Amino acid sequence: MTTDGFDPAALVDEVAAATQQVLDSAERLTPDRMAGASLLPGWSRAHVLTHLARNADGLCNLVRWAATGVPTPMYGPGGARDAAIEAGAGRPPAQILADLRTASARLEDALASMSAAAWGAKVAGPDGREFAAVQLPYRRLREIYIHHVDLYAGWTPAHWPGDFATRELFEVAASFRGRPDTVALLLHDEDSGRRLTIGPEEQPPLATVSGRRRTLLAWLIGRTGGDGLVMDPPGALPPLPAWM
């Protein structure tokens, strides 16, 4: 276990298993369903799968950065990432699946070859913010688990592993804390009993939103409308700004 709280070797194994779950779901899609709408506005299921392949390539660039010390951007300049996804989404389903399988295997091999020194290196994401390379496996895992839901192929937030949902709920809630564009709320995770605050810290919470951790997380990241959550005092759930 590292000081960042990540066990890279264990997470690389989980990444491989989660990737196979996505591929299993995708392989059951007919061509018409592959071209059909995902849960992400403007994106088909083919877009989601292509994005996962290009994300694997981008993370490979960051692995190379960590291993060599040579800054290597995750994606090309400007709109290169979006253009690659748009172009790739129009391919036949078999090519999309083969691409995702191959790109994911490259990333898993690259992560498995990381040295202790490389895990300790600093890299930067597309937004320019630095983070420790030891976080790379978890960042890939987050992409896979969340976009598997977006694939809209029978895999839902209820399928998220408990430890993932716990960690992600705390991290997402922390990202909303202090944001002036978020209503001040108290979140009650009924699974653990833990309470988390979001929104401006100088304002008292306007209400408490209670529910199971997966339901709270799915609502916070905009994957559901909040069915199963309860407001106290009673009322409609307030709209939330974009998570990322």
Side-chain angles (χ1 to χ4, degrees):
M1 188 70 68
T2 72
T3 56
D4 291 73
F6 292 92
D7 181 347
L11 285 181
V12 171
D13 289 342
E14 189 174 353
V15 165
T19 299
Q20 188 57 55
Q21 290 174 330
V22 172
L23 288 166
D24 289 345
S25 293
E27 286 168 355
R28 292 191 291 268
L29 296 172
T30 64
D32 284 347
R33 292 193 69 208
M34 178 77 80
S38 74
L39 291 182
L40 293 176
W43 271 18
S44 67
R45 295 181 177 91
H47 283 87
V48 172
L49 295 170
T50 301
H51 163 63
L52 284 174
R54 300 291 71 78
N55 174 261
D57 289 341
L59 291 175
C60 274
N61 288 337
L62 298 188
V63 169
R64 188 176 306 114
W65 181 346
T68 65
V70 178
T72 309
M74 188 171 178
Y75 299 114
R81 168 191 172 274
D82 292 342
I85 293 171
E86 193 61 40
R91 297 169 297 171
Q95 289 185 22
I96 291 174
L97 291 176
D99 179 25
L100 176 56
R101 190 177 293 108
T102 302
S104 297
R106 280 196 301 267
L107 175 59
E108 289 158 23
D109 288 345
L111 291 171
S113 70
M114 291 273 279
S115 67
W119 285 127
K122 295 289 187 180
V123 296
D127 60 3
R129 287 186 291 184
E130 283 193 344
F131 61 91
V134 74
Q135 295 182 21
L136 289 170
Y138 185 77
R139 289 186 174 227
R140 178 59 174 173
L141 197 62
R142 176 194 288 150
E143 290 285 324
I144 296 169
Y145 281 145
I146 292 177
H147 288 310
H148 197 168
V149 171
D150 294 332
L151 195 61
Y152 196 32
W155 210 83
T156 71
H159 291 91
W160 285 332
D163 55 349
F164 169 77
T166 297
R167 180 171 196 129
E168 198 64 11
L169 175 61
F170 296 156
E171 290 198 1
V172 172
S175 75
F176 277 106
R177 196 170 302 129
R179 285 182 58 170
D181 58 348
T182 304
V183 175
L185 296 171
L186 182 66
L187 307 180
H188 175 213
D189 170 15
E190 293 177 343
D191 291 311
S192 68
R194 187 163 180 175
R195 295 174 183 271
L196 307 165
T197 57
I198 64 172
E201 296 181 276
E202 67 277 8
Q203 297 179 10
L206 298 179
T208 297
V209 179
S210 300
R212 306 293 296 272
R213 77 182 55 147
R214 292 175 179 85
T215 308
L216 283 167
L217 174 59
W219 175 62
L220 284 176
I221 65 175
R223 265 53 186 187
T224 70
D227 290 347
L229 299 178
V230 177
M231 283 269 291
D232 182 22
L237 289 169
L240 293 174
W243 161 48
M244 295 181 69

